Amino acid sequence: MPSFLFKCIPFIHPKPHPFPLSHLTAMSIKTKTRLRGVVFDMDGTLTVPVIDFSSMYKAVLGETEYRRIRQENPSGIDILHLIESWSPGEQRKANEIILDFERLGRERLQIMPGAAELCGFLDSKKIRRGLITRNVKEAVDLYHQRFEIVFSPALSREFRPYKPDPAPLLHICSTWDVQPNEVMMVGDSLKDDVACGKRAGAFTCLLDEKGRYGSADFTKLDLEPDFKVASLAEVHSLLETNFDLMP
């Protein structure tokens, strides 16, 4: 089995240390990095993936154009940035299609297994929780209302610029009055969530439920998450093992 499929293993490999193991263990405990906040993506991270993005892109672009752009961008299509260069009329039509798919997603909204438990753990440690999504505010409000788990700040795509630009994550850090290197960004997208976190200077954790990402993907995008997990349940132990959780 490829090494990148193992659970909760950081992608930072420590060099052999000259001190005895007992000394190394004591030093490791003392030098844990302080973590004061965790920022989550929403779709596919806090919620079960229900939006058929491929069908959405085909509906917006047309089959032929979709295949051409997909071939040129194997890491994924950034439909929101793509349509920004279109005429106002074309943008309006594209946004209507996108909103229709997102509306269907809201009707089928399901919380991701492990999300409630992880948020409860963070609350018990008084660790801040934020949210950044490229979905609309209506979807965020529905999540808060339906599952009674509130994130603050919770930035939707009405906040510009959106991921992968680091601006929303830096805004949250400023609101919390913490440094980016005291925060972790958790999400299921390498090109959006990990890129946003890395550019802001935060720790990053890639949620990869189906083992879609490997070293070749990291090399291709020049993006390597600090951690990769297969479920939100794994984030709990990851945080306790690697960080000093101090509000």
Side-chain angles (χ1 to χ4, degrees):
M1 179 179 291
S3 61
F4 62 78
L5 291 180
F6 286 108
K7 299 178 178 179
C8 288
I9 299 180
F11 287 95
I12 301 173
H13 304 288
K15 296 180 180 179
H17 203 282
F19 292 103
L21 183 58
S22 59
H23 291 166
L24 178 59
T25 302
M27 290 174 61
S28 298
I29 293 173
K30 291 179 181 178
T31 57
K32 279 186 179 181
T33 301
R34 184 182 187 185
L35 194 74
R36 304 176 67 189
V38 179
V39 179
F40 294 89
D41 165 57
M42 189 173 75
D43 296 304
T45 301
L46 291 173
T47 66
V48 175
V50 293
I51 297 176
D52 187 344
F53 286 101
S54 294
S55 295
M56 176 198 292
Y57 301 155
K58 290 176 184 177
V60 171
L61 300 169
E63 184 74 32
T64 301
E65 187 68 1
Y66 166 77
R67 290 184 179 181
R68 183 188 69 79
I69 296 176
R70 186 72 179 87
Q71 187 173 14
E72 293 176 356
N73 301 273
S75 61
I77 296 173
D78 189 340
I79 196 68
L80 296 179
H81 280 108
L82 183 63
I83 66 175
E84 284 181 348
S85 62
W86 293 7
S87 69
E90 290 174 324
Q91 285 190 47
R92 184 167 52 254
K93 182 179 179 181
N95 279 313
E96 287 174 356
I97 294 172
I98 293 170
L99 288 171
D100 283 342
F101 275 87
E102 290 174 337
R103 191 175 298 111
L104 180 60
R106 291 195 295 275
E107 292 174 1
R108 301 163 58 195
L109 190 67
Q110 301 175 55
I111 192 170
M112 180 69 81
E117 293 80 2
L118 178 56
C119 290
F121 166 71
L122 293 173
D123 291 348
S124 73
K125 297 291 184 179
K126 295 182 170 55
I127 299 298
R128 301 164 178 83
R129 293 186 285 105
L131 183 153
I132 302 173
T133 179
R134 287 158 58 98
N135 207 324
V136 293
K137 183 179 183 298
E138 187 176 351
V140 176
D141 292 343
L142 178 61
Y143 187 96
H144 286 167
Q145 179 183 9
R146 179 172 296 181
F147 305 119
E148 298 182 339
I149 302 173
V150 178
F151 296 83
S152 180
L155 304 181
S156 56
R157 73 164 171 263
E158 287 81 2
F159 181 97
R160 299 292 186 94
Y162 32 66
K163 297 181 297 184
D165 194 286
L169 185 50
L170 292 173
H171 174 81
I172 289 178
C173 291
S174 176
T175 301
W176 286 345
D177 194 23
V178 303
Q179 297 301 311
N181 61 6
E182 297 175 315
V183 170
M184 176 178 284
M185 178 74 209
V186 180
D188 68 321
S189 171
L190 185 63
K191 70 178 182 65
D192 291 331
D193 303 315
V194 173
C196 175
K198 287 289 185 183
R199 292 172 186 175
F203 288 97
T204 56
C205 179
L206 178 65
L207 175 61
D208 188 12
E209 285 191 292
K210 298 182 179 179
R212 294 186 300 151
Y213 295 105
S215 56
D217 301 290
F218 304 148
T219 301
K220 188 184 303 178
L221 291 178
D222 193 24
L223 285 171
E224 188 167 344
D226 298 298
F227 302 92
K228 185 161 80 79
V229 297
S231 70
L232 288 182
E234 296 175 23
V235 179
H236 181 152
S237 58
L238 180 160
L239 294 174
E240 285 199 305
T241 301
N242 295 281
F243 296 95
D244 183 9
L245 301 175
M246 294 283 291

